[in-house]
Amino acid sequence: MSEWNRRDFLRTVSAAIASSVCTRAAERKPNIIIVLADDLGYADVGFQGAKDIPTPNLDRLAASGVRFTSGYVSHPFCSPTRAGLMTGRYQQRFGHENNPKYDPSDAVSGLPVSETTIAQVLRDGGYATGHIGKWHLGAAPHHHPLKRGFSESFGFLGGGHDYFKAQMTPDAKEYVIPIQRDGKPVEEKEYLTDAFSREACAFVRRHAGDPFLLYLAYNAPHTPQQSSEKYLDRFAHITDQKRKLCAAMTSAVDDGVGRLVSTLRELKLESDTLLFFLSDNGGPLHDVNGTRNDPLRGAKGQVYEGGIRVPFIVRWPGRLAAGKTYDRPVISLDIFPTAAAAAGVNLAPALQEKLDGVNLLPHLLGKSSSPPHERLFWRTGGGVLFAVRENRFKLVRIRGASPQLFDLETDIAESNDLAPSRPDLVAKMSANLEAWNRQLIPPLFESPVPPANRAARVSER
Ligand code: CA
């Protein structure tokens, strides 16, 4: 190679390298983090008005992101909400309307493998995908997180877990089954919430150079109400034992989110990370775990606002506004298409058409002034409870009772039934609800209800 040609060659190579670096920087795909709390009440965090449970880390998250004031989940209890979140579809479309019983030999009770998860979509798009925490989408081998799009998994497969102990035996009951790492039982010594926070930070460090999806599903503050002294000591002044434990368990989640955000900051990943925080349903009835849903009516298991309207934040520094609220109704189903859009993943048209969730980015960026959803729907028990929200109005239908109509803009507590005075609206909203209901199938499996708990069925699930 002549000197001239050598220089020319080197110039071309350097230009190509520079161009590739620029392209990579411009095309850096954002990380996606979904932090899910379990049975956290509407009023149990500082950014939602809690006075007795300081949550400085979650409050900072809200202050640096967008808080949804009408943020909903697609079901008032655990597993169906997770099925909707994972698929971006109303889970009743594919029969996932109840909690699966914990039974590794049960091939049916779990998220049907015919459905595509956000983890599959992002993994296929080049993402490292990690599940940490509660799964509750089936215990059979084909329902395992590693078979549903996650490349790594740390946590438990059931609907809840003891926070301090597990039995390392194959016959262990649901709440003491072994914690698993990538499908293999491991001995866990830490308070479970702290263990999940530790694993979340380690996952982020392992994948600091990749785009990643982290699904961090804390089981707190779901029962059993258990906390380490570290968190209980912060609430010595609370005399109500259930509220004290709820505060301690929520404080542990708040610390975990703080550790996670610190890790992102240290690795300079904050502005490359789209993060969602929400609860899977409202606080339970009968003060099961000391949660509060004020000023909302109702609780977990119900389709009044207390069961389905939850603390819900989205944060993407530098991209989304900081410290704002977004007031139009959004739903957990929107996380799938929003994450896919942020990741620049093109969804197959057949999959895109099936989604009920919508990409919220144009709405959050002010590029769309229309509401994300014309209406939102809920159904439980194959048709025992129904609700539809349309603009400011909400219709609630309970089997065997007259429909109720509420104006949520003036009556967030659903205390004033407008149905008798607005038969026109009741008829129109009922027709829309029925049209949606006709698209659904009956539940594929029933929730496990031990006879002793039958009386407490609504509150216990
Ligand atoms: Ca739950």
Side-chain angles (χ1 to χ4, degrees):
M1 196 182 281
S2 73
E3 181 59 18
W4 178 254
N5 281 351
R6 202 175 70 84
R7 276 195 207 150
D8 207 28
F9 172 73
L10 287 175
R11 260 202 305 274
T12 309
V13 168
S14 343
I17 290 170
S19 149
S20 131
V21 167
C22 286
T23 308
R24 276 217 308 279
E27 288 179 357
R28 152 111 212 181
K29 289 170 178 277
N31 310 306
I32 312 289
I33 297 181
I34 304 165
V35 182
L36 193 63
D38 195 356
D39 289 14
L40 179 69
Y42 187 72
D44 288 336
V45 285
F47 70 85
Q48 292 285 105
K51 296 280 186 275
D52 57 343
I53 309 180
T55 51
N57 295 295
L58 287 166
D59 297 354
R60 272 194 286 275
L61 212 58
S64 57
V66 178
R67 180 169 72 91
F68 296 119
T69 57
S70 296
Y72 290 96
V73 282
S74 60
H75 217 77
F77 57 91
C78 300
S79 180
T81 285
R82 290 155 207 269
L85 191 158
M86 278 293 139
T87 61
R89 306 184 71 209
Y90 283 118
Q91 59 282 349
Q92 302 93 337
R93 293 193 187 281
F94 47 88
H96 198 131
E97 199 167 338
N98 288 304
N99 285 334
K101 64 176 176 286
Y102 174 73
D103 179 359
S105 70
D106 183 339
V108 175
S109 296
L111 179 62
V113 293
S114 53
E115 297 303 312
T116 303
T117 70
I118 184 62
Q120 287 174 277
V121 165
L122 292 180
R123 185 195 58 195
D124 292 349
Y127 275 63
T129 52
H131 151 258
I132 293 170
K134 168 166 161 175
W135 182 238
H136 210 201
L137 290 171
H142 58 274
H143 290 137
H144 196 276
L146 296 179
K147 293 287 173 60
R148 303 305 279 120
F150 289 98
S151 49
E152 298 180 28
S153 170
F154 180 91
F156 61 88
L157 299 177
H161 205 282
D162 192 287
Y163 290 81
F164 291 108
K165 66 170 193 272
Q167 284 171 7
M168 304 301 285
T169 54
D171 62 340
K173 297 279 185 287
E174 182 171 10
Y175 276 39
V176 287
I177 53 175
I179 303 299
Q180 296 188 356
R181 184 187 298 284
D182 298 335
K184 296 187 179 62
V186 290
E187 295 261 13
E188 178 54 63
K189 302 278 185 232
E190 266 197 281
Y191 176 52
L192 198 52
T193 300
D194 291 343
F196 292 153
S197 303
R198 176 197 73 215
E199 292 295 323
C201 294
F203 176 86
V204 168
R205 285 185 193 284
R206 270 199 302 283
H207 298 287
D210 314 323
F212 61 78
L213 163 71
L214 169 61
Y215 171 52
L216 172 56
Y218 287 110
N219 53 316
H222 191 292
T223 53
Q225 284 203 287
Q226 298 170 338
S227 172
S228 58
E229 292 301 322
K230 173 183 171 185
Y231 302 111
L232 276 171
D233 287 350
R234 296 176 184 176
F235 300 98
H237 57 285
I238 300 183
T239 51
D240 178 318
Q241 283 306 304
K242 285 187 174 172
R243 186 66 179 167
K244 177 190 255 182
L245 278 156
C246 170
M249 294 168 83
T250 303
S251 199
V253 170
D254 186 69
D255 269 30
V257 169
R259 285 168 67 183
L260 181 60
V261 173
S262 293
T263 305
L264 293 173
R265 188 171 304 135
E266 181 195 323
L267 299 170
K268 300 191 168 31
L269 292 175
E270 277 189 292
S271 60
D272 286 323
T273 303
L274 170 62
L275 187 152
F276 298 91
F277 173 85
L278 70 164
S279 179
D280 69 333
N281 49 253
L285 266 180
H286 309 313
D287 206 21
V288 169
N289 65 344
T291 49
R292 287 186 186 149
N293 295 321
D294 346 321
L296 308 180
R297 175 177 182 173
K300 176 180 180 181
Q302 304 182 338
V303 295
Y304 291 120
E305 297 289 277
I308 54 177
R309 193 195 281 221
V310 293
F312 198 159
I313 303 168
V314 61
R315 174 191 192 255
W316 191 358
R319 294 295 296 272
L320 299 179
K324 301 282 190 201
T325 57
Y326 185 82
D327 298 327
R328 285 173 152 158
V330 302
I331 192 161
S332 46
L333 308 177
D334 299 333
I335 291 175
F336 182 125
T338 304
V345 171
N346 287 319
L347 300 175
L351 174 58
Q352 180 76 53
E353 277 170 25
K354 285 165 64 177
L355 297 182
D356 293 300
V358 304
N359 171 16
L360 295 176
L361 294 176
H363 302 276
L364 297 172
L365 293 168
K367 292 177 180 164
S368 171
S369 57
S370 59
H373 299 274
E374 212 172 342
R375 48 189 77 88
L376 294 174
F377 301 102
W378 293 267
R379 185 183 90 174
T380 73
V384 177
L385 305 179
F386 282 104
V388 51
R389 173 151 186 192
E390 196 166 332
N391 301 319
R392 61 196 292 171
F393 292 104
K394 181 172 160 204
L395 184 80
V396 172
R397 257 181 36 197
I398 299 172
R399 185 178 283 167
S402 303
Q404 297 171 292
L405 180 72
F406 304 103
D407 178 350
L408 293 177
E409 231 165 72
T410 58
D411 179 26
I412 195 174
E414 296 171 291
S415 58
N416 183 22
D417 181 10
L418 303 174
S421 60
R422 292 298 305 271
D424 56 322
L425 214 45
V426 171
K428 178 173 155 270
M429 291 174 76
S430 293
N432 287 330
L433 189 55
E434 268 316 309
W436 174 72
N437 188 38
R438 281 193 292 274
Q439 301 168 18
L440 311 179
I441 65 170
L444 283 182
F445 51 88
E446 293 297 318
S447 296
V449 185
N453 290 345
R454 212 169 282 279
R457 177 168 183 155
V458 170
S459 60
E460 288 298 328
R461 62 190 181 182

